Protein backbone atom coordinates (compact mmCIF):
# COMPACT_ATOMS: atom_id res chain seq x y z
CA UNK A 1 0.00 0.00 0.00
CA UNK A 2 1.46 3.32 -1.02
CA UNK A 3 2.02 5.76 1.85
CA UNK A 4 3.44 9.19 2.42
CA UNK A 5 6.91 9.95 3.70
CA UNK A 6 6.73 11.66 7.06
CA UNK A 7 3.00 11.04 7.32
CA UNK A 8 3.47 8.73 10.27
CA UNK A 9 2.02 5.32 10.87
CA UNK A 10 -0.11 6.24 13.82
CA UNK A 11 -2.11 9.15 15.11
CA UNK A 12 -3.27 10.10 18.58
CA UNK A 13 -6.96 10.89 18.81
CA UNK A 14 -8.43 13.75 20.84
CA UNK A 15 -9.25 11.18 23.54
CA UNK A 16 -5.60 10.15 23.75
CA UNK A 17 -6.04 6.79 21.99
CA UNK A 18 -3.51 5.67 19.40
CA UNK A 19 -4.90 4.45 16.10
CA UNK A 20 -3.44 3.19 12.85
CA UNK A 21 -3.39 5.35 9.75
CA UNK A 22 -5.67 4.61 6.82
CA UNK A 23 -2.98 2.95 4.69
CA UNK A 24 -2.30 0.29 7.30
CA UNK A 25 -5.98 -0.30 8.06
CA UNK A 26 -6.64 -0.77 4.33
CA UNK A 27 -3.76 -3.23 3.97
CA UNK A 28 -5.06 -5.24 6.93
CA UNK A 29 -8.58 -5.27 5.51
CA UNK A 30 -7.23 -6.60 2.20
CA UNK A 31 -4.93 -9.14 3.88
CA UNK A 32 -1.75 -7.44 2.60
CA UNK A 33 1.60 -7.01 4.38
CA UNK A 34 3.07 -3.54 4.92
CA UNK A 35 6.57 -2.34 4.03
CA UNK A 36 8.28 0.90 5.00
CA UNK A 37 11.70 2.44 5.37
CA UNK A 38 12.58 4.63 8.31
CA UNK A 39 15.64 6.47 9.56
CA UNK A 40 17.18 6.20 13.02
CA UNK A 41 16.99 3.57 15.73
CA UNK A 42 14.31 5.51 17.65
CA UNK A 43 11.92 5.29 14.71
CA UNK A 44 12.78 1.63 14.18
CA UNK A 45 11.82 0.93 17.79
CA UNK A 46 8.49 2.70 17.40
CA UNK A 47 7.54 0.63 14.36
CA UNK A 48 8.69 -2.61 16.02
CA UNK A 49 6.19 -1.99 18.85
CA UNK A 50 3.44 -2.15 16.23
CA UNK A 51 4.41 -5.45 14.65
CA UNK A 52 6.97 -4.35 12.06
CA UNK A 53 10.26 -6.22 11.95
CA UNK A 54 13.57 -5.17 10.48
CA UNK A 55 14.34 -6.91 7.18
CA UNK A 56 17.26 -4.77 6.07
CA UNK A 57 19.65 -2.07 7.25
CA UNK A 58 21.39 0.47 5.05
CA UNK A 59 24.20 2.80 6.05
CA UNK A 60 25.24 5.92 4.21
CA UNK A 61 27.22 9.12 4.55
CA UNK A 62 25.73 12.58 4.50
CA UNK A 63 27.81 15.40 3.03
CA UNK A 64 27.23 19.10 3.64
CA UNK A 65 24.52 18.63 6.25
CA UNK A 66 23.26 21.61 8.23
CA UNK A 67 25.86 22.89 10.71
CA UNK A 68 25.25 21.60 14.22
CA UNK A 69 22.78 18.89 13.23
CA UNK A 70 23.28 15.18 13.76
CA UNK A 71 22.36 13.52 10.45
CA UNK A 72 20.90 10.06 10.19
CA UNK A 73 23.45 7.62 8.87
CA UNK A 74 21.31 4.51 8.65
CA UNK A 75 17.93 3.49 7.33
CA UNK A 76 15.89 0.41 8.13
CA UNK A 77 13.63 -1.63 5.87
CA UNK A 78 10.62 -2.76 7.92
CA UNK A 79 7.89 -5.32 7.15
CA UNK A 80 4.80 -6.53 8.95
CA UNK A 81 2.20 -9.16 8.11
CA UNK A 82 -1.50 -8.28 7.92
CA UNK A 83 -3.09 -7.95 11.34
Amino acid sequence: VEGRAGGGWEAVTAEGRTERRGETRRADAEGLPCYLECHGTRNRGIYMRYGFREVGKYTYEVEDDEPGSAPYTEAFAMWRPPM
Side-chain angles (χ1 to χ4, degrees), residues 24-35:
T24 319
R25 284 195 308 267
R26 192 175 96 205
D28 289 342
E30 295 180 19
L32 299 171
C34 293
Y35 173 85

Side-chain angles (χ1 to χ4, degrees), residues 49-72:
R49 285 194 321 232
Y50 293 102
F52 284 85
R53 65 182 172 91
E54 180 183 328
V55 294
K57 179 178 176 180
Y58 312 95
T59 58
Y60 52 90
E61 291 185 30
V62 178
E63 295 181 20
D64 300 325
D65 198 36
E66 294 179 21
S69 69
Y72 291 120

